[in-house]
């Protein structure tokens, strides 16, 4: 295997604002083409042979499809998109009212790009009610012993007393809920979770654990473990990207200066483990020459994190963050974005959801396919490059 050198990184051109706008035009036309099939239904988490099939409002991922609809609405002003977004927010309200499949920390992934976004864009009361109820549900997963929000499963499950790095992106829902209601409970829990997460999932070399267990009796940190990475001790490419975007968001809300070196550390580790075209393999253990699938969604997530953090750091560092993000997006738009809409109904190819290895605990699906968050964050990064965007998170 080999990873990119800094020289090679600098040789990758940056995507320009005009190119970002054109890529966004293309993505929006694909979203609009998909409305017939995916207004009453959502896209499944991942494509099969390049095509998403319709699903009910289940799983942790449908909010990304609604988020794509809102981003496309922002870019085009097309009223059909607004109508579809409104219908889908009603579905999210039903889901939280009926508590269907909400026993998870992923309520932020579900409700921020769908309902918070719809509320911010259109003032929807349905979106507001749904997102506030989701925030209320999310804080029930906070454990005083250990000071974290439990990721998966029932709260009394004997084998799941853990957080996962992805959760950093679920917390903006809580900050929004506190801003909206004036009730500090939500953001206080978010802040405590961020502190626990960043104190434990970041290793000394700034690679990251996917999941981290705590002792149920004492709350003491116990051990890290991977689920979707290649092995314990490697850095799952998407987990590292959640770490980049997650620390940027952590800084946005807390303004804790100690999070800046964490952001720089996890970003540097990521950069040092990229292949030549800047789109990582599914685990950062792998590089050019390894016969492994990519995770293009990781590059889009990292680009969004860089573009968010660019707002807060000193101008020189901000320019570097923007430049890196623009290089990631150049590679994604040129080599990974769907160009022929008859060959796929997604936006970005070569992403990996869950790749089973002899050393991890995940099931095997969505390998080298499109996936919903890959498509969503690709559009978000392009939007961030194209205009001054009012963030959904
Ligand atoms: N948050 C789950 C994943 O990234 O696969």
């Amino acid at each position: 295997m080999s990873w990119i050198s800094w020289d090679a990184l600098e040789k990758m051109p940056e995507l320009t604002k005009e190119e970002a706008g054109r890529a966004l035009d293309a993505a929006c036309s694909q979203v609009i083409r998909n409305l017939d099939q995916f207004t009453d239904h959502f896209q499944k988490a991942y494509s099969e042979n390049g095509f998403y099939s319709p699903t009910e409002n289940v799983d942790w991922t449908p909010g990304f499809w609604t988020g794509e609809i809102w981003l496309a609405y922002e870019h085009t002003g097309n009223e059909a998109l607004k109508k579809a977004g409104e219908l889908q927010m009603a579905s999210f309200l039903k889901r939280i009212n009926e508590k269907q499949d909400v026993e998870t920390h992923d309520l932020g992934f579900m409700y921020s790009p769908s309902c918070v976004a719809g509320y911010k864009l259109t003032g929807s009361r349905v979106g507001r009610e749904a997102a506030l109820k989701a925030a209320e549900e999310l804080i029930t997963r906070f454990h005083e012993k250990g000071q974290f929000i439990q990721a998966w499963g029932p709260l009394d499950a004997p084998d799941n007393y853990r957080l996962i790095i992805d959760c950093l992106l679920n917390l903006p829902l809580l900050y929004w809920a506190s801003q909206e209601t004036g009730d500090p409970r939500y953001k206080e829990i978010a802040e405590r979770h961020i502190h626990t997460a960043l104190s434990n999932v970041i290793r000394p070399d700034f690679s990251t654990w996917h999941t981290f267990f705590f002792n149920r009796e004492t709350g003491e940190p116990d051990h890290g473990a991977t689920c979707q990475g290649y092995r314990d001790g490697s850095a799952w490419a998407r987990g590292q990207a959640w770490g980049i975007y997650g620390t940027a968001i952590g800084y946005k809300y807390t303004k804790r200066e100690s999070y800046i070196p964490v952001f720089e550390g996890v970003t540097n580790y990521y950069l040092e483990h990229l292949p030549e075209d800047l789109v990582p393999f599914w685990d950062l253990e792998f590089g050019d020459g390894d016969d492994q699938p990519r995770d293009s969604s990781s590059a889009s997530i990292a680009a969004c994190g860089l573009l968010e953090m660019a707002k807060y750091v000193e101008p020189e560092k901000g320019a570097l963050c923007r430049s890196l993000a623009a290089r990631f997006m150049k590679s994604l738009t040129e080599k990974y974005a769907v160009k022929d809409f008859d060959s796929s109904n997604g936006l970005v190819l070569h992403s990996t959801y869950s790749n089973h290895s002899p050393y991890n605990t995940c099931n095997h699906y969505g390998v080298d396919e499109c996936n919903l968050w890959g498509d969503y964050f690709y559009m978000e990064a392009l939007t961030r490059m194209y205009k001054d965007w009012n963030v959904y998170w």
Side-chain angles (χ1 to χ4, degrees):
M1 83 195 79
S2 65
W3 294 300
I4 195 168
S5 68
W6 280 93
D7 286 354
L9 185 94
E10 280 168 11
K11 276 187 210 132
M12 174 69 75
E14 294 177 12
L15 190 75
T16 65
K17 179 179 168 179
E18 290 67 35
E19 287 170 332
R22 284 199 292 277
L24 205 46
D25 293 341
C28 291
S29 65
Q30 178 75 312
V31 172
I32 291 167
R33 276 165 65 105
N34 276 326
L35 281 186
D36 276 351
Q37 202 183 3
F38 301 105
T39 291
D40 296 331
H41 287 85
F42 295 82
Q43 293 187 327
K44 190 177 160 175
Y46 55 93
S47 67
E48 281 149 303
N49 297 318
F51 284 86
Y52 291 106
S53 50
T55 171
E56 301 299 323
N57 192 338
V58 291
D59 209 347
W60 66 281
T61 51
F64 293 121
W65 169 240
T66 314
E68 286 177 56
I69 288 174
W70 287 130
L71 289 172
Y73 174 61
E74 283 200 55
H75 190 61
T76 64
N78 180 322
E79 286 294 314
L81 291 160
K82 184 178 174 197
K83 275 210 169 74
E86 282 168 347
L87 276 171
Q88 294 189 3
M89 286 194 295
S91 165
F92 278 103
L93 180 57
K94 182 167 183 290
R95 179 168 176 175
I96 193 70
N97 278 339
E98 296 177 2
K99 304 236 172 143
Q100 293 168 359
D101 197 11
V102 294
E103 210 169 23
T104 165
H105 70 147
D106 281 328
L107 290 154
F109 280 125
M110 292 176 211
Y111 283 83
S112 292
S114 59
C115 295
V116 174
Y119 172 60
K120 286 184 177 174
L121 289 172
T122 71
S124 164
R125 305 310 290 175
V126 170
R128 182 180 187 277
E129 182 185 346
L132 286 178
K133 286 180 168 164
E136 200 61 48
E137 184 70 22
L138 181 53
I139 59 172
T140 65
R141 299 189 67 78
F142 184 74
H143 288 299
E144 287 291 338
K145 274 195 184 158
Q147 301 282 300
F148 69 96
I149 293 171
Q150 182 179 319
W152 298 320
L155 295 176
D156 59 359
D159 55 350
N160 246 333
Y161 207 68
R162 61 173 152 179
L163 60 78
I164 72 171
I165 192 166
D166 325 25
C167 188
L168 294 166
L169 270 286
N170 284 316
L171 305 176
L173 179 69
L174 300 182
Y175 282 100
W176 171 82
S178 278
Q179 273 163 14
E180 203 52 35
T181 61
D183 181 344
R185 281 178 310 138
Y186 310 98
K187 78 168 189 191
E188 282 167 11
I189 284 179
E191 229 137 271
R192 287 195 270 163
H193 178 96
I194 294 174
H195 183 68
T196 308
L198 294 185
S199 307
N200 290 289
V201 297
I202 315 290
R203 303 187 189 114
D205 65 356
F206 290 101
S207 65
T208 51
W209 287 109
H210 178 195
T211 88
F212 203 94
F213 285 88
F214 295 80
N215 182 302
R216 180 184 283 281
E217 305 310 321
T218 64
E220 285 301 306
D222 200 282
H223 67 281
T226 200
C227 173
Q228 282 158 268
Y230 177 62
R231 61 173 176 87
D232 285 342
S234 70
W236 175 44
R238 191 158 64 257
Q240 196 77 16
W242 291 136
I244 293 170
Y245 201 174
T247 40
I249 281 178
Y251 184 78
K252 167 186 173 174
Y253 285 109
T254 65
K255 293 295 184 305
R256 230 183 244 181
E257 290 302 308
S258 61
Y259 293 166
I260 293 181
V262 178
F263 171 84
E264 290 174 354
V266 293
T267 302
N268 278 334
Y269 187 93
Y270 190 77
L271 295 172
E272 285 161 4
H273 292 80
L274 290 176
E276 290 285 327
D277 75 355
L278 308 186
V279 174
F281 290 86
W282 68 286
D283 192 290
L284 298 182
E285 180 134 321
F286 303 115
D288 285 313
D290 288 322
D291 184 21
Q292 295 285 335
R294 307 258 176 178
D295 181 5
S296 58
S297 76
S298 169
S300 292
I301 294 165
C304 290
L306 286 160
L307 292 168
E308 181 63 27
M309 199 63 174
K311 299 180 200 168
Y312 312 117
V313 289
E314 55 219 50
E316 208 177 296
K317 283 187 184 169
L320 177 61
C321 288
R322 286 191 193 93
S323 166
L324 289 166
R327 292 170 206 271
F328 291 3
M329 296 312 293
K330 180 75 172 177
S331 184
L332 286 168
T333 52
E334 289 203 341
K335 300 182 182 168
Y336 292 83
V338 172
K339 300 285 192 309
D340 170 10
F341 292 162
D342 292 326
S343 68
S344 169
N345 63 359
L347 300 182
V348 191
L349 302 167
H350 306 304
S351 199
T352 290
Y353 184 177
S354 188
N355 193 11
H356 184 64
S357 86
Y359 315 109
N360 71 20
T361 55
C362 66
N363 294 321
H364 194 77
Y365 40 67
V367 175
D368 199 16
E369 288 285 346
C370 306
N371 56 45
L372 272 188
W373 58 93
D375 290 355
Y376 168 80
F377 285 109
Y378 172 75
M379 285 186 76
E380 180 182 311
L382 293 173
T383 304
R384 283 174 176 273
M385 287 188 64
Y386 189 64
K387 68 173 193 178
D388 191 12
W389 182 58
N390 184 17
V391 177
Y392 299 164
W393 305 98

